[in-house]
Amino acid sequence: MNKIRNAVLAAAMLAAGASTASAAEYEFKLHHFLGEKAPAHSQMLVPWAKQVEENSGGKVAIEIYPAMTLGGRPPELISQVRDGVVDLVWTVNGYTPGLFPRSEVFELPGIHTNDPAATNKAMKDIFESDLKEDYKGVEVMFLHVHAGQAIHMRDTEVHSPADLAGKKIRIPTRTGAWVIESLGAIPVGMPVPELPPALQKGVIDGAFIPWEIIPPLKIQEQTEFQIEGADKERFGTTVFQVSMNKERWDGLPEDIQKAFSDASGDEWIQKVGEIWAGADDFGIGLATKAGNTHIMLSEEETEAFREALAPVADRWVEEVSSKGIDGAALVEKAKAAAASHAAN
């Protein structure tokens, strides 16, 4: 079935590219799962692609295909790029649970709090030494996180973990599922584009997503309450990657590789953090203007959530130890790296 899907996808790519011939020497197709109006597309992927093209002196052209235009479902993006069906993808690591175990450390509560730029830099700091093993078959352009998981509820006001007991909550990753379970709720996995109808129909009671998702999916129309911790503290985050097929990367000359690498450095991942933080602020503003209630928990209420979530890291450490990963050491290393950049 995978071979058939890939053949169909390759045919679609050829058809899509037939009318967009480029004079560039090196052409790339970048596939992702959100629409053109999403900040991830318009504010991150488009500027990044343009910078690569500029760095290459016109030798590179990157065509971006949003909203799964080339076929398949979001969880298939990583296999599409690993198999060489597409050149580049932007995807959520957690759409393929367990495939990126080391990188999951940055999704745990207490590692990322509310500074996406700091977490992005922390991942870059330890990528070569600790995370790279996760990414066989691809060459990572850059990793990033969003502003962090907040709680969106259809009609339930939340001030304590007890308020979530028995509620069905959409989660983006398996670590997100562990968070929800620790809060006494029921995790429901689904790609984010499927979220609006699930909320509208009452298939789920709420969702575990950042504010930035509100505008592109009109979440303010499906929910009444948006909840986060004190001082914008979040309950973990999600790791994303922009990656290229490894064989394609290895076949590129050094100057073209440099065009990509230079566009993906420290200054860029700082900018990506700022983009996602800004999109988050815009999203919650849109929800409150629509009449939704934004709840920022008190420090005492937030501490109750921290206590409930403390076992999540222990669960992750135990789970990854079966894969030969020293999870306890990685937790401390990731926490220190993120805290260091947040302090700066």
Side-chain angles (χ1 to χ4, degrees):
M1 287 299 295
N2 283 337
K3 289 182 178 179
I4 294 172
R5 257 198 310 269
N6 288 345
V8 172
L9 179 53
M13 287 172 57
L14 288 172
S19 61
T20 57
S22 168
E25 188 175 350
Y26 300 93
E27 298 181 356
F28 299 85
K29 290 182 171 63
L30 192 166
H31 200 201
H32 73 86
F33 60 96
L34 288 181
E36 291 181 316
K37 293 183 180 180
H41 177 93
S42 61
Q43 297 180 35
M44 183 181 74
L45 295 175
V46 170
W48 176 78
K50 288 182 177 178
Q51 187 61 59
V52 174
E53 293 170 347
E54 182 179 319
N55 291 352
S56 75
K59 292 181 181 179
V60 167
I62 301 175
E63 188 76 17
I64 302 177
Y65 293 86
M68 302 307 297
T69 313
L70 296 175
R73 298 181 67 250
E76 296 171 9
L77 283 165
I78 191 63
S79 63
Q80 289 179 3
V81 73
R82 280 181 166 173
D83 293 344
V85 179
V86 297
D87 304 302
L88 291 152
V89 294
W90 172 64
T91 190
V92 177
N93 283 12
Y95 281 170
T96 45
L99 196 59
F100 304 97
R102 296 162 183 83
S103 306
E104 285 178 338
V105 69
F106 285 99
E107 299 181 350
L108 300 175
I111 306 295
H112 170 87
T113 52
N114 61 5
D115 189 339
T119 304
N120 292 351
K121 291 178 179 180
M123 289 192 292
K124 192 171 189 296
D125 283 351
I126 70 170
F127 180 81
E128 289 293 332
S129 60
D130 295 276
L131 307 183
K132 191 172 183 177
E133 185 69 15
D134 283 352
Y135 298 91
K136 294 178 180 178
V138 299
E139 182 73 18
V140 174
M141 301 293 101
F142 61 94
L143 301 178
H144 74 91
V145 297
H146 56 44
Q149 314 293 7
I151 302 169
H152 303 243
M153 299 299 292
R154 293 179 71 232
D155 54 16
T156 302
E157 190 167 346
V158 173
H159 288 275
S160 72
D163 294 330
L164 290 168
K167 299 295 184 182
K168 293 175 290 184
I169 308 294
R170 178 266 177 186
I171 50 91
T173 63
R174 70 171 184 164
T175 55
W178 298 346
V179 168
I180 292 301
E181 289 171 352
S182 293
L183 297 174
I186 302 168
V188 180
M190 66 178 67
V192 72
E194 299 175 15
L195 186 53
L199 284 167
Q200 186 178 35
K201 297 174 183 178
V203 173
I204 54 177
D205 300 298
F208 209 47
I209 52 174
W211 304 148
E212 61 88 17
I213 290 295
I214 294 171
L217 298 185
K218 299 182 179 179
I219 300 300
Q220 76 277 12
E221 297 178 4
Q222 321 298 335
T223 59
E224 294 182 21
F225 298 99
Q226 273 68 41
I227 304 100
E228 63 183 333
D231 193 27
K232 296 185 176 182
E233 184 170 329
R234 301 299 172 84
F235 312 106
T237 189
T238 294
V239 175
F240 300 76
Q241 62 177 292
V242 173
S243 292
M244 183 185 296
N245 172 266
K246 180 64 173 168
E247 187 175 349
R248 182 78 198 273
W249 172 261
D250 289 342
L252 296 175
E254 185 175 338
D255 64 322
I256 300 302
Q257 289 184 347
K258 189 174 186 299
F260 281 94
S261 298
D262 287 353
S264 311
D266 291 344
E267 185 176 342
W268 172 245
I269 60 173
Q270 168 72 32
K271 179 66 174 176
V272 169
E274 294 169 359
I275 289 168
W276 285 76
D280 222 53
D281 291 341
F282 178 79
I284 192 62
L286 187 68
T288 55
K289 286 178 183 177
N292 286 27
T293 300
H294 175 202
I295 298 172
M296 185 176 290
L297 302 174
S298 68
E299 181 60 34
E300 183 179 356
E301 289 170 336
T302 304
E303 184 59 32
F305 276 85
R306 293 184 192 125
E307 291 177 5
L309 296 177
V312 174
D314 295 335
R315 179 175 176 177
W316 178 81
V317 168
E318 181 179 359
E319 200 277 339
V320 299
S321 67
S322 65
K323 300 180 179 181
I325 299 169
D326 186 347
L330 192 50
V331 165
E332 293 307 313
K333 195 169 186 178
K335 187 178 295 186
S340 172
H341 286 293
N344 293 326

